[in-house]
Amino acid sequence: MAIDLTRDAISLAEGLANGEFTSVELTQACLDRIAQFDDRVGAFLYINAEGALETAAEADRRRAAGEDVHVLTGVPIALKDNIVTRGMPTTCASKILEGWLPPYDATVVERIKAAALPILGKTNLDEFAMGSSSEHSAFKLTHNPWDLDRVPGGSGGGSAAAVAAFFAPLALGSDTGGSIRQPAAVTGTVGAKPTYGNVSRYGLIAMASSMDQIGPVTRSVRDAAALQDLIGGYDFHDSTSQEALEKDLLGQVKATKVEDLKGLRVGIVKQLTGEGYAPAVSEHFEKTVQVLKDFGAEVSVVDCPAFDYAMPAYYLIMPAEVSSNLARFDGVRYGLRVEPEEGPVTVERVMEATRGAGFGHEVKRRILLGTFVLSAGQVDAYYGAAQKVRTLIQNDFDRAFEQVDVLISPTSPTTAFKLGEKESDPMAMYLNDVATVPANMSGVPGISIPNGVDDKGLPVGVQVLAPARQDALMYRVASLIEEASNDHTAEQCPAKDWKVA
Ligand code: GLN
């Protein structure tokens, strides 16, 4: 019997619990599908077949012995390749880390291993998570399983494509300005950025530490809640991590009924709709707003004026942090080391040669920009001003959440664009994150869920934002929208009909 890989992770976990199939069979089915079709998608940078099957056998042993297992035990997962995995290559899709084998596991990986979720492999991304299309990877292109000529979004395009193409029921991404949510939107999957601090960053290779968050990429809201339950919570190794206020997100999602929409105060962010959004994106968003109203939600428009300045402020704060975080790649400590072609081999000259050869254009652009905005003469005018804008954005969120319970917006201004279409135009690329960046600037949780497909058959996403530390509310409302709009986009990707040649 072939296992139906379009099922969501919770449904597959039920299959494991009922003895419909074993984790070894499920993991093998995912590995087979990856072997058959990943040459056309390019989701994976590394495939961990042997390790995944070993973990699967352990999961089967635990379930057979009647041990008290996690709900997701035995369900395979893919990891974005900026999350460190002991003994398994971790490259950030950069030449500078080629050949590096981490000596430790990220905290999220430790938790995944402890619960025996087979790790299928590491997924492609924009180099060091900088981009919105995954085209900045030093190693390969990832194609959108909905239309192979289009991008899967970024930076976490590999994880999103792996879930969309039914290679993996679960994946992890990282979101600094939208890299979980935007790829989710354009691949018809669910992507959640938890409240800043709710999931440990230990072992996530830093991009901009004050905004980076690891989070779930899945096919349903309940799967994302279950995965955050597993990876979230306080971690001694991350000084910014905190215990979640609300535990058992999955239980809370399950206990939510569509009647709970009645009286829910939903705010449409004025600055994140209208001009700049593709007509199909706006149409689908309006339709969802109508569904919410039909179920009795009180919908209003909320003004967040500082959001108009989120992008420029992000492109000052993020590169500043990037320039500091990436200083560790010096040709001495990790991966690549390039010696100067001629002249003396000094530390500075090895560093220069290594970085010159090891970093791609976009990474260099951001390091230079960050170094400039932090330089003595400029820091107040640029970095300081951007930090003030950040406070204004936080104030906008605070005021908004006095008026409404949650905020909604389209996740991304357009559906998936063509490969190569924006690669040479950084400004056009940056604008993909206009709706996702405000959450990172303030630390609030955000989730993107599928919101139908446009007339080209490309998925659209809708975003739900909740107050900080109210991830449970975010998941509950997202699952209500999922149910009320009766959207099954995540199971509809044409990849389901691919045949082996
Ligand atoms: N696309 C955004 C950027 O390039 C977000 C990246 C991310 O969230 N990692 O900065």
Side-chain angles (χ1 to χ4, degrees):
M1 176 210 58
I3 301 172
D4 175 7
L5 293 178
T6 68
R7 291 164 66 172
D8 75 351
I10 296 284
S11 162
L12 291 168
E14 283 163 7
L16 293 173
N18 303 335
E20 260 180 74
F21 42 78
T22 64
S23 174
V24 168
E25 288 164 345
L26 174 59
T27 304
Q28 191 60 57
C30 292
L31 291 167
D32 289 347
R33 204 174 149 79
I34 294 167
Q36 283 159 359
F37 299 120
D38 198 40
D39 54 349
R40 55 178 96 163
V41 178
F44 284 90
L45 289 174
Y46 178 79
I47 296 164
N48 179 43
E50 214 175 295
L53 288 168
E54 260 169 44
T55 306
E58 168 64 13
D60 287 336
R61 191 197 61 72
R62 288 190 203 171
R63 283 193 185 266
E67 285 178 30
D68 189 14
V69 295
H70 188 272
V71 57
L72 294 175
T73 292
V75 180
I77 187 165
L79 305 175
K80 187 175 179 181
D81 202 26
N82 58 352
I83 298 172
V84 306
T85 39
R86 182 154 47 87
M88 205 190 293
T90 301
T91 65
C92 284
S94 179
K95 282 196 208 132
I96 212 158
L97 278 176
E98 208 171 359
W100 181 56
L101 289 179
Y104 70 107
D105 277 324
T107 296
V108 294
V109 174
E110 254 178 24
R111 292 181 184 179
I112 282 167
K113 285 185 175 173
L117 275 67
I119 297 172
L120 295 169
K122 306 297 291 286
T123 58
N124 198 23
L125 64 153
D126 285 296
E127 186 175 1
F128 284 101
M130 300 178 193
S132 302
S133 69
S134 303
E135 290 165 292
H136 297 313
S137 166
F139 301 125
K140 60 159 72 166
L141 278 181
T142 301
H143 302 255
N144 191 323
W146 288 80
D147 176 346
L148 296 170
D149 294 330
R150 291 177 188 270
V151 304
S155 62
S159 281
V163 173
F166 313 111
F167 295 157
L170 299 168
L172 286 185
S174 69
D175 192 309
T176 305
S179 284
I180 292 174
R181 290 164 287 159
Q182 183 261 2
V186 301
T187 58
T189 53
V190 172
K193 182 202 90 74
T195 295
Y196 184 79
N198 267 18
V199 175
S200 169
R201 287 180 295 112
Y202 182 71
L204 170 65
I205 297 176
M207 178 182 163
S209 319
S210 75
M211 294 182 275
D212 296 342
Q213 272 298 273
I214 294 175
V217 182
T218 62
R219 269 196 286 283
S220 67
V221 175
R222 62 182 189 167
D223 285 4
L227 188 49
Q228 188 172 329
D229 279 334
L230 174 62
I231 61 171
Y234 175 74
D235 173 24
F236 165 83
H237 294 296
D238 175 358
S239 61
T240 60
S241 82
Q242 49 188 349
E243 205 45 70
L245 280 181
E246 293 154 312
K247 299 249 166 67
D248 192 15
L249 299 167
L250 177 61
Q252 299 211 39
V253 165
K254 280 187 174 162
T256 303
K257 286 176 303 295
V258 79
E259 295 79 55
D260 298 343
L261 278 173
K262 200 167 166 52
L264 185 81
R265 297 172 306 161
V266 178
I268 298 172
V269 186
K270 185 177 151 203
Q271 281 70 17
L272 302 182
T273 49
E275 207 191 320
Y277 290 80
V281 170
S282 299
E283 249 165 60
H284 283 263
F285 181 68
E286 291 306 327
K287 237 174 40 204
T288 296
V289 168
Q290 192 52 49
V291 169
L292 290 174
K293 286 182 183 162
D294 292 346
F295 278 90
E298 289 167 23
V299 182
S300 57
V301 175
V302 175
D303 198 18
C304 296
F307 284 22
D308 284 340
Y309 307 100
M311 292 310 288
Y314 173 77
Y315 276 93
L316 294 169
I317 293 170
M318 174 273 297
E321 295 189 27
V322 161
S323 72
S324 160
N325 276 328
L326 270 61
R328 76 193 63 176
F329 301 106
D330 54 9
V332 178
R333 279 177 271 209
Y334 313 89
L336 188 73
R337 175 191 164 96
V338 179
E339 295 198 353
E341 269 169 25
E342 50 193 37
V345 182
T346 62
V347 173
E348 281 80 11
R349 286 169 49 82
V350 169
M351 222 186 275
E352 189 182 330
T354 303
R355 288 176 178 164
F359 285 139
H361 286 308
E362 185 60 23
V363 173
K364 284 178 185 160
R365 178 169 18 243
R366 296 191 192 198
I367 292 173
L368 288 174
L369 189 61
T371 308
F372 176 75
V373 304
L374 289 177
S375 61
Q378 314 294 339
V379 65
D380 291 337
Y382 293 108
Y383 183 72
Q387 290 290 15
K388 288 179 187 158
V389 171
R390 191 169 184 174
T391 303
L392 294 177
I393 292 170
Q394 286 159 352
N395 292 346
D396 276 357
F397 270 117
D398 288 346
R399 257 196 314 272
F401 288 129
E402 281 167 13
Q403 302 163 46
V404 295
D405 301 311
V406 294
L407 294 168
I408 59 169
S409 77
T411 308
S412 174
T414 66
T415 53
F417 46 91
K418 287 250 165 78
L419 284 156
E421 192 178 320
K422 299 188 183 176
E423 207 189 350
S424 56
D425 184 354
M427 295 309 262
M429 191 71 91
Y430 294 170
L431 281 176
N432 288 298
D433 300 306
V434 65
T436 46
V437 156
N440 303 82
M441 297 283 269
S442 75
V444 306
I447 188 169
S448 177
I449 64 169
N451 193 22
V453 294
D454 73 0
D455 51 4
K456 292 200 195 75
L458 298 171
V460 177
V462 60
Q463 174 176 240
V464 179
L465 301 163
R469 310 197 72 189
Q470 296 196 31
D471 301 48
L473 176 65
M474 171 188 83
Y475 282 116
R476 283 176 43 224
V477 173
S479 79
L480 290 175
I481 298 178
E482 190 181 48
E483 192 185 336
S485 59
N486 196 20
D487 185 295
H488 296 280
T489 306
E491 299 149 34
Q492 300 306 322
C493 179
K496 71 182 192 315
D497 301 321
W498 287 347
K499 298 272 178 308
V500 188

